[in-house]
Amino acid sequence: MQHTIVMTGASRGIGRVAAKHLLRRSPDVHLLVVARRSSGARLAAELATGGHLVSHVPADLGSLTCIGSAATEIRDRLDSGDLPPLRGFVGNAGVQYTNALTETPDGFESTFAVNVLANHLFVRLLQDRFAAPARIVITASDTHFGDFRHNLGMVPGPAWKSPDVLARTGAFPEPHTTVAGRTAYSTSKLAAVYLVHEYARRLPAGVEVVAYNPGFVPGTGLARNADPVSRFAMTRILPVLALTPFATSRSAAGRWLADVVLGATEAPTGSYVDRGRADRSSQESYDPQREAELWAAAERFTARCAAGD
C-alpha cells in the first residue's frame, strides 16, 4: 500500500544512504524530502532514478516560518490526495557550529533551532495527519552521554540549563569558542532524547517515536561549519576510524537508520536505538521534569508558526 515518509537531512551523509535504502526496500513509499530550495529539486530527481516516487518541499530548517510553510504544504498535499497516507517522519538534519553565538532569523541559537525546534514543529504540525501504524525517527547522538567512551574526547558533554537559556545565544562559557559550539551540539542532542520521551507519552495511539544514534560517523556534512583543519580531519583522516569499533561508516549508519524507520529494528515507542539495537540512553536523559519543561518551552517557541500565523 502506498504511503508517504517525510525526511529532513537526506541530501548527504547517512541521510542520503538511508533514503536510498528506504526507496529500494519499500517500493510503495513516496519519499518527500525537505531541503533548501536550491537543492531540493535536484535531490528529488537524483533519488527518483529508477522509477522511485520522490518529491520535495523547500524549507530552511533555521527558520520556523519556513518550516511552518513546508508543513502546511505537506498537510495540504495529504488532504488533497496528492500524497498517499503519511506513515513516517525522519528528522535527520543536524548542525554543529564553531561557536554558540550563531542566531536564526527568529532569534534562537542556531544549533538548538535546527536540532530541536525544527523537529518539534514538524512533529506537532503533522501529528494529526499520520495514518497508523506510523513511526517518527529523530536522529540523536551518543555525545549526549558526555564521557570519553562515547565521544572520544572530541565533543564536550552536555551542560543542561533552562530551555529559555539554551534557546538563546551565549548559553555557555566563552560562547565564541569551538568548545561552546560543540557543547551546544551535545546539549541539543540530549534535548532531542528528552523530547522523544515526551512525544511517546503524548502522540496518538499507533504513532511511534524513536531516537536513533548512528554513533560517530566521520566524513559526513556535520563538520561543514567547522574550521578548515577540523573539516580536513573529519573528511580525510578520521574516516579511517570507521574501520575500527570506535566509529561507524556512513553505509552502516544509513542502513541502520533505514532499519529503524521501516520497523526492521525492534524498538518500542520512546526507545533509543544505538546503531542496530535498542538500548538505554544516558542516565541523565531520563528526567521527566526536564522533559516536561522542554516540551512546554518548545510549544511556546513555536506557537506562532504552529498556529499557522
Side-chain angles (χ1 to χ4, degrees), residues 79-234:
D79 293 346
S80 70
D82 180 55
L83 290 172
L86 180 62
R87 292 289 174 87
F89 172 76
V90 186
N92 179 62
V95 297
Q96 182 181 128
Y97 289 91
T98 56
N99 58 65
L101 294 172
T102 308
E103 190 173 70
T104 69
D106 304 297
F108 297 108
E109 192 276 320
S110 291
T111 313
F112 189 88
V114 174
N115 296 358
V116 182
L117 296 183
N119 288 328
H120 183 74
L121 188 53
F122 268 120
V123 169
R124 295 292 280 138
L125 288 175
L126 296 178
Q127 73 172 51
D128 63 352
R129 294 304 196 274
F130 284 103
R135 173 165 280 200
I136 296 167
V137 179
I138 306 297
T139 298
S141 167
D142 51 9
T143 60
H144 86 276
F145 280 85
D147 56 17
F148 185 85
R149 174 191 167 198
H150 291 91
N151 62 23
L152 302 179
M154 294 185 290
V155 180
W160 191 257
K161 303 175 187 292
S162 162
D164 289 279
V165 175
L166 295 174
R168 308 298 175 181
T169 58
F172 307 103
E174 300 185 318
H176 61 285
T177 65
T178 299
V179 170
R182 291 176 178 170
T183 303
Y185 176 79
S186 62
T187 305
S188 75
K189 292 304 185 178
L190 176 60
V193 178
Y194 283 148
L195 283 179
V196 164
H197 294 162
E198 196 66 18
Y199 294 147
R201 300 184 186 104
R202 295 175 179 266
L203 287 170
V207 181
E208 299 179 337
V209 58
V210 175
Y212 166 68
N213 166 46
F216 172 56
V217 187
T220 69
L222 189 61
R224 59 188 176 274
N225 296 306
D227 60 88
V229 174
S230 296
R231 289 200 305 272
F232 179 82
M234 280 291 289

Side-chain angles (χ1 to χ4, degrees), residues 225-264:
N225 296 306
D227 60 88
V229 174
S230 296
R231 289 200 305 272
F232 179 82
M234 280 291 289
T235 58
R236 301 296 182 182
I237 300 174
L238 293 179
V240 176
L241 287 176
L243 303 175
T244 76
F246 297 107
T248 310
S249 69
R250 279 179 290 178
S251 60
R255 183 182 73 251
W256 285 328
L257 174 55
D259 287 344
V260 178
V261 176
L262 295 174

